[in-house]
Amino acid sequence: MVLRDVSFALHAGQRLAVVGPNGAGKSTLLKIAGGLLPAAAGALRVYGHAPRDHLCVAYVPQRSTVDWRFPLCVSDVVLMGRVGRLGALRRPGREDRQLVRQAIARVGLESLAGRQIGELSGGEQQKMFIARAMAQEAEIVLLDEPLAGLDVPATAEVVSLLRRLERTTLVVALHDLAIAAASFDFVLLLRQRMIGFGTPDEVFRPSFLEEAYGGCVRMVRTADGQLVVHDDACAKEGP
């Protein structure tokens, strides 16, 4: 996916929702920010350096890209968050394993620490990945569609967990515009390029939404303010 004309800056602790239709470039942006893809042009800096140079950046992939048949349990995956700190030769020590236990407890998966990852629900799988980022002691967490395929209760649990990640910079690719508006400081609206960046009120304008989604989004005025209504079926067919 080609991205162009994207320029923005975040400060430590801020929370950014990256939104846009399918194929807008959300995943591409997160992979570049995580050092998994090179930028063909331009530059992305984390505290002034290339993303690959920082252990503080954690990337959480889409669940659909993971082989859940792999013989790992929850604690194995969370322990992977310590690999960058340990290096190639050191084995995990008592402090590392304590951090892993604490991270698993913070996301509420203590009773599932020994469970094979494919036996988890979608919400539990996302909690596990968030625990891995905690064990990594990441200052910046990039999450690619963490709410995709989750039911309403699991979505609410994951969103609540993200809100509790204090002093952590979050960059989250989302399809749910209502959650983006309610739970994030800033929104980046993409469609192969940056259409808008700013607070939800600044970005969720009818003109910007029309440019990004075509006729798939409507603004509805309610007693509590403007409500963004997104027709997912329309988005799959294209504007």
Side-chain angles (χ1 to χ4, degrees), residues 92-189:
R94 181 181 301 175
E95 181 180 347
D96 300 301
R97 297 190 183 279
Q98 177 64 19
L99 285 170
V100 167
R101 287 193 292 270
Q102 290 173 350
I104 291 173
R106 285 181 65 188
V107 301
L109 294 182
E110 306 102 304
S111 63
L112 303 177
R115 183 163 297 184
Q116 199 273 334
I117 59 175
E119 298 175 359
L120 302 174
S121 69
E124 290 164 349
Q125 290 167 347
Q126 285 299 345
K127 290 178 181 179
M128 176 187 69
F129 280 135
I130 294 170
R132 184 181 68 179
M134 292 175 176
Q136 183 179 332
E137 300 178 288
E139 298 173 35
I140 302 170
V141 181
L142 315 170
L143 299 103
D144 195 355
E145 299 287 357
L147 307 181
L150 301 188
D151 59 20
V152 172
T155 295
E157 288 182 0
V158 172
V159 170
S160 175
L161 181 58
L162 293 177
R163 285 173 175 162
R164 298 201 302 271
L165 292 178
E166 299 177 357
R167 298 184 297 278
T168 301
T169 304
L170 294 180
V171 181
V172 184
L174 292 173
H175 276 291
D176 193 314
L177 303 185
I179 291 176
S183 302
F184 289 84
D185 306 313
F186 297 96
V187 173
L188 175 64
L189 179 59

Side-chain angles (χ1 to χ4, degrees), residues 6 26 35 74 93 104 161-162 211:
V6 177
K26 301 184 295 293
V74 170
I104 291 173
L161 181 58
L162 293 177
E211 187 175 352

